[in-house]
Amino acid sequence: MTTSASVPAASAPQPPAAGGGRSVTDRLVESNRAYASKFADPGMDARPVLHVAVVACMDARLDLHAALGLELGDCHTIRNAGGVVTDDTIRSLTISQRALGTRAVILIHHTGCGLESLTEDFRHELEDEVGQRPAWAVEAFRDVDQDVRQSMQRVRTNPFLPHKDDVRGFVFDVHTGLLREIDPTS
């Protein structure tokens, strides 16, 4: 298996320039200026209106706000590779619940996740390449439903989270846009 870190910089695919040799970041910063010119402070604080935190994969195919009918300010969104409940996810959920009033947790994994094709060997390959093994686990999985169950269990058993009664897990189908709820006991 080849990691993206092992591709020599000269041959690595480069993101398309946005015109005139500008980088993607330059284009995004320019878009932000246009956004800010029309921005009106919505007068919200950091507490989500719906008192919900959504933990989901970082996959670019998931438009969570559109898929769930959410508006700005409705939820806290916590994303990482696989939507896995890691220590950092627990940190964010703990702050979300204890300091910012969320009560519900929605976990969303998806079909065709890249973590289904990785193994912990990825860490060993990185170690061979750069001389240092990452401190984090890859959290790869083969069965998306079982990984959602594991994530629900990690939330439900964590002592730092006071609100565990409304924890539900789903798999988002990247081809249909539908959510399929996962039974935590199956």
Side-chain angles (χ1 to χ4, degrees), residues 96-164:
S96 179
Q97 287 191 357
R98 291 183 176 267
L100 298 168
T102 60
R103 299 289 181 265
V105 178
I106 297 173
L107 303 164
I108 301 177
H109 287 35
H110 65 92
T111 58
C113 184
L115 284 184
E116 291 176 287
S117 64
L118 290 177
T119 67
E120 289 299 317
D121 288 341
F122 183 78
R123 292 174 69 229
H124 299 290
E125 292 167 5
L126 287 171
E127 180 181 23
D128 290 345
E129 181 182 329
V130 302
Q132 179 179 342
R133 183 180 304 168
W136 39 263
V138 174
E139 296 276 357
F141 56 87
R142 296 282 179 248
D143 180 339
V144 68
D145 291 15
Q146 184 55 36
D147 203 60
V148 172
R149 283 186 201 94
Q150 176 177 282
S151 290
M152 285 190 281
Q153 185 67 13
R154 285 178 178 177
V155 171
R156 288 185 172 137
T157 59
N158 193 280
F160 301 116
L161 299 173
H163 306 289
K164 303 178 225 184

Side-chain angles (χ1 to χ4, degrees), residues 27-87:
R27 183 177 58 80
L28 297 176
V29 169
E30 183 178 316
S31 293
N32 172 257
R33 286 189 198 105
Y35 169 80
S37 72
K38 299 172 190 158
F39 183 79
D41 181 354
M44 301 175 188
D45 67 12
R47 295 175 178 270
V49 173
L50 299 179
H51 306 285
V52 64
V54 178
V55 178
C57 185
M58 66 186 192
D59 192 293
R61 297 171 289 183
L62 278 66
D63 183 348
L64 294 173
H65 277 73
L68 299 173
L70 296 168
E71 300 292 331
L72 181 67
D74 282 348
C75 72
H76 284 157
T77 306
I78 303 161
R79 295 182 81 158
N80 65 32
V84 178
V85 176
T86 62
D87 286 345

